[in-house]
Amino acid sequence: MQQFMSQLQHLLSAPGSGPVNWDLARQVAASQLAAAGDPAVSPFERNAVEEALRIADLWLEPATSWPSGIRASVAWNRNEWIYKTLDVWRKLCDPVASRMVGAMGDLVPPEARAQLGPMQSMVATLGGALFGGQLGQALGSLAAEVLSAGDIGLPLGPAGTAALIPANIRAYGEGLELPEDEVRLYVALREAAHQRLFQHVPWLRGHVLTAVENYAAGIRVNREAIEEAMGRVDPTDPESMQAIALEGIFTPEDTPAQKASLARLETVLALVEGWVCHVVDSAAGERLPNVVRLGEAFRRRRAAGGPAEQTFAALVGLELRPRRLREATVLWAALTEHRGIAGRDAVWGHPDLLPSDDDFANPEAFATTSTDLDEELANFDFTAPGAPEEQPPGEDGDKS
């Protein structure tokens, strides 16, 4: 109790630098991992990860049109995953948390705000601490499940750094009852494919993160849920703060704009994951004895989300599941069949070239239409009368 009171006093007296107390989030996550166990990466595991990523890159050479996107191959423990990905989580979670903190301040009656004066900042500090603590628990749980830096489809780690988490891969392989080295190599193939995609499509990282941010911007705060949560705090029992559950305080706005934002997010996540699944399965081919079983297990895992991912979604109102993963995988396969590997990957040349959500329903039509369009453009005489005038970069009118 004395330790908790001391921590609480420190939190309330420390100046806040944002809507989330990220120092607390990191401490809570680390404490949770320490209690559950966070095995250090052994030299053998480090060498095994580096070798798996090296082999994965070799296997991917004929399956993609891009060279390796890996500048560094590393093995992380669970704490390292949190530390190395925290900057991206901060970017994604701060806008949502700021609305929660603002809503907590609004719960204070207007007449009381004037009396509180400078102490009103304590409300924001308390809100940041509450959210930081809850977020730390969610990230700690997620760190015990993720298999690599790009496992949940977002570019969370440093650009060009391929990272695997050996302890989680070992546990996942035991659950599948498959050899650890085979599971490790399959995870390495997925990670190496993610790195190629995000490294050689310069606009994609920002595009994916912006899609997440735009969706998060439309999430509203459930003030009743905040009021109910705060009502469970007993001022005479500081430990009651630890029992506060903030799940359910964020809900998506049911508006056309938010629905469109969600559709864009789900489409880009499905396209990224679908491309990775198609390329990895093509590269593994006959090389991995259990490639079909591994591929199916990963598709189910990504489509459903693990327990920690579901907890995170409940906390921040943001699901990161590619709901149309299977359709996207079929679409990339159709593009490969009709346009070849180079033609398939050329679709990533610009956001406007990507398939839309509607194209998932008829992948063959999209693949063949794209081929016809490319042939028409290749044979078009841009010097003929009536040809479109060439415009300088940045003067594309309404096109984006």
Side-chain angles (χ1 to χ4, degrees), residues 175-396:
L176 294 178
E177 298 182 346
L178 290 175
E180 182 181 345
D181 58 345
E182 195 171 340
V183 177
R184 183 194 303 114
L185 186 49
Y186 193 84
V187 175
L189 281 163
R190 289 180 51 83
E191 178 71 1
H194 269 284
Q195 292 296 333
R196 286 192 186 224
L197 182 60
F198 281 98
Q199 193 73 6
H200 295 291
V201 182
W203 55 265
L204 183 58
R205 177 180 290 264
H207 185 77
V208 171
L209 295 180
T210 298
V212 176
E213 291 172 12
N214 289 341
Y215 175 68
I219 295 174
R220 67 178 178 86
V221 176
N222 186 334
R223 297 180 186 277
E224 291 78 11
I226 292 181
E227 191 167 6
E228 181 182 351
M230 297 305 296
R232 291 194 293 269
V233 176
D234 182 357
T236 64
D237 180 15
E239 290 186 349
S240 66
M241 288 180 56
Q242 296 175 307
I244 295 179
L246 297 180
E247 289 93 339
I249 67 171
F250 298 110
T251 55
E253 288 279 10
D254 188 18
T255 64
Q258 181 67 352
K259 289 178 179 178
S261 180
L262 177 60
R264 285 193 296 271
L265 173 59
E266 291 181 341
T267 297
V268 70
L269 288 176
L271 288 174
V272 168
E273 285 296 292
W275 185 89
V276 168
C277 285
H278 171 64
V279 166
V280 166
D281 289 349
S282 300
E286 302 297 325
R287 294 182 170 107
L288 286 179
N290 294 290
V291 63
V292 175
R293 185 176 167 190
L294 281 163
E296 182 60 27
F298 268 82
R299 273 185 281 273
R300 288 199 307 267
R301 180 174 177 269
R302 287 297 297 121
E309 193 173 338
Q310 293 165 9
T311 299
F312 181 81
L315 178 61
V316 301
L318 182 61
E319 291 186 350
L320 301 174
R321 292 180 292 171
R323 295 181 183 276
R324 307 194 67 179
L325 173 56
R326 294 183 186 275
E327 294 97 320
T329 305
V330 171
L331 193 151
W332 289 118
L335 279 166
T336 305
E337 178 184 354
H338 289 284
R339 304 186 64 188
I341 291 172
R344 176 203 67 202
D345 293 346
V347 174
W348 291 104
H350 190 277
D352 290 349
L353 298 177
L354 290 178
S356 67
D357 185 59
D358 295 336
D359 293 320
F360 286 16
N362 197 342
E364 293 290 328
F366 177 81
T368 54
T369 299
S370 299
T371 303
D372 294 342
L373 180 59
D374 283 352
E375 291 175 353
E376 290 178 11
L377 289 175
N379 297 324
F380 192 83
D381 183 3
F382 284 89
T383 64
E389 296 182 4
E390 184 177 354
Q391 297 185 19
E395 297 184 11
D396 298 329

Side-chain angles (χ1 to χ4, degrees), residues 83-100:
Y83 180 77
K84 299 291 186 180
T85 63
L86 206 60
D87 284 345
V88 177
W89 289 121
R90 188 193 306 266
K91 183 180 179 67
L92 297 177
C93 296
D94 273 355
V96 180
S98 66
R99 290 197 289 280
M100 185 209 72

